[in-house]
Amino acid sequence: MHPEPSETNQGPPPSSLPLSELIYIVQAGRIPNALLFYGPRGSGKQQAALFFAQACNCRADNDRPCNICASCKKISAGMHPDMIFLGPAENKKMITISQIRDMGGIIASRTNEAAFRMVCILHADLMNPQAQNALLKMLEEPPGRTFFILAAEQTTPLLPTILSRCRRIDFQALADHEIKKLLCTQYGLDPGTAHILTGTAGSDIDQALRLSGLDKEGTNWKMLRPWLIKEICLFLTAPQHQSAFKSLDLSRLLSARPEYVHDAMAVIRTVFRDFCILKYMPDKIVNLDFLSTFKDISVMHSYSRMLTWMTLFHETEKRLESNSGTRLTLDRFFLSLSLFK
């Protein structure tokens, strides 16, 4: 039996996530109108939301999703018509009131087939004040058999009235070995690929899944990574008079696909990190398939120069995070590298 609501592409998330509390909610038979999933980026909040939606709608009489019934499969595949995900529009920094109103129009009608409809607002802390006030009205009088999940990295931007209407569940960043185990055991990736993905994404499980190709909307990482590493290596070994031209060309290619820049920077970070630790811990580098090439390059450059590369990289990351122009920032980064070769 499914629980009753209270009056007020992917498999299951890792066991370290706060699933026990979500399972308890299902067992108790009272689904809150709104839950706040609070934690750092990549801590598995979206996977947990899917898990909870599956558990609430699973057609098997279990507290956990069976992953076999039609409902579980549709939710896992992102094809269920009653599972609504909302976040900032493409190339936008905020969730606007128009997006909230559009979502309100959708949930004003009956569910298509779910026992419980889910509205998951990703990056809920990026809602502008007008959007939050519009959402507040829905939280106060939610449609029947509908619950909201607000996934946020910060609570300060959220109105106290919204926070007071949410049951908060805290998430912690996952350790590297947990993500690696997840990729191998639950997603069937080989250990070598899982090692590279984990080293690239760090504790960000969302990015690891996106890079893996399991997320159909994600970056084509299998093509981006080797191409980008080869380009970086060619750039670092090019004669001085050619470096400036190569740097600007690489900047042009990357900035032409702004949706790939975040993942591209993650790959570049692993390259410079590998150079810094290669001398002391060659078995710990991320890009083991480029070990021979990296060894050749490390012979050509001093260790202090490699540390300078890493410093320039971190400065560039900060500039990109502060919303500096992508093309100009990448031009500056690669041109600076060409001066320290």
Side-chain angles (χ1 to χ4, degrees), residues 4 22 40 84 102 111 116 120 141 154 206 229 240 249 340:
E4 292 296 326
L22 297 177
I84 301 170
D102 289 345
T111 60
F116 297 100
C120 181
E141 298 181 12
Q154 305 177 65
D206 294 334
I229 293 177
Q240 190 75 41
D249 190 49
F340 290 95

Side-chain angles (χ1 to χ4, degrees), residues 11 36 43 45 60 88 109 114 119 131 133 137 140 158 192 203 206 270 285-287 300 304 314 326 337-338:
L36 173 65
S43 53
K45 298 186 288 294
S109 58
V119 177
N133 282 315
K137 296 177 182 179
E140 291 171 341
L158 294 172
S203 60
D206 294 334
T270 66
I285 71 169
V286 172
N287 304 289
M300 301 170 59
S304 62
H314 286 312
T326 301
L337 284 178
S338 68

Side-chain angles (χ1 to χ4, degrees), residues 248-249 251-253 255 324-332:
L248 292 175
D249 190 49
S251 173
R252 176 185 61 81
L253 292 170
S255 58
S324 296
T326 301
R327 177 63 187 272
L328 191 61
T329 301
L330 291 178
D331 281 350
R332 182 181 186 277

Side-chain angles (χ1 to χ4, degrees), residues 24 65 89 104 126 152 177 227 230 241 272 326 332:
Y24 174 77
L126 297 182
H177 70 273
W227 169 80
K230 289 176 182 177
H241 66 280
F272 291 137
T326 301
R332 182 181 186 277

